[in-house]
Amino acid sequence: MPIPVIADVDTGVDDALALLFLAAHPDIDLRAVTCVAGNASLAQVAQNTLDVLAVAGCEAPVACGVDRPLIEPARDAGSYHGANGIGNLALEPSPRQPEPEHAVELLRREIDASPEPVTLLSLAPLTNIALFLRLYPQTAAKLERIVVMGGTASAGNASAVAEFNVWHDPEAAQIVLTSDVPTTLYPLDVFNRVVATDEQITQLKDAATPHARLAAALLDYQLTLADLPADIASGAKLGDAGAAAFLVASEHFGVETWPVGVELSHGYARGQTVVDRRLRSGEAEEHGLMAPTVRSEVALTVDGPAVAASFINTVCGA
């Protein structure tokens, strides 16, 4: 039976790649998509999402959620994802409109209506999901798990130590990571190591389907941003699409369970995810200076070529 999935997105370039994969994979049942401000404004995210799903031939309901973080103003990533969030590509506007209900209400409705537990895939700042957990804890308890593309156990991208989705709304991330719902973190440590080669992009172009052509155009845009250090795989990053692939190809990842906390203070480290990989507690705990943190699964290693091949094969076969 396909895995029932709801995706929460801030559709930029790699969210678009993830949506193409989710809509195409035979073992994934994309039940709904909820939108939040992040890579672009909420209105732009919703339009991007509908337009990409139209290319994918997917009629999953789409709902708009929150247009800013819980506390701070929205800060987009237009300098990375382009003025329209999807690499300045001009897609045919979808005739569909977002659902009239709020994203949090769509989450509640879809999860309550599902006869089997739903996996919630977060590819965006966690504001919608945090509000859902607070408003509807009994519904949230029915989830299979939450898979979060966010955080880092090493270097950041939005700041030296913080990944964008968590940095955008650290308080929301802390709510999600300390909830009772089983959570798996897909951090930058693996995000940066799943890339498509020039040959794979050519394979997408040769497939000559709307799905594949759009994926190729998005990956061509990703190539213009390739400025990674030498110790990280070079090529066009699949980004959020790797987190989508994790749902059906987890055997290609090394997952460990560690306490994970979020730095909420304002300053240099705001939004940092602290993955505590110590084998024993230290003096900070002994002297009562640190609150206990909740343990989460964290993907720390990946067979990047295998995951990239899964993505290419899925989109080419759509």
Side-chain angles (χ1 to χ4, degrees), residues 152-163 167 188 267-273:
T152 176
S154 51
N157 56 7
S159 76
V161 294
E163 177 275 331
W167 171 87
L188 290 181
Y268 188 81
R270 179 167 172 76
Q272 179 181 16
T273 45

Side-chain angles (χ1 to χ4, degrees), residues 196-205 220 223 235-236:
T197 64
D198 291 340
E199 292 77 11
Q200 287 173 322
I201 297 174
T202 298
Q203 185 180 343
L204 290 168
K205 293 174 179 176
D220 275 341
L223 281 174

Side-chain angles (χ1 to χ4, degrees), residues 72 75 158-163 166-168 170-171 262-273:
E72 298 188 343
R75 300 181 176 95
S159 76
V161 294
E163 177 275 331
V166 176
W167 171 87
H168 194 264
E171 284 75 20
V262 180
E263 178 56 58
L264 302 179
S265 63
H266 289 268
Y268 188 81
R270 179 167 172 76
Q272 179 181 16
T273 45

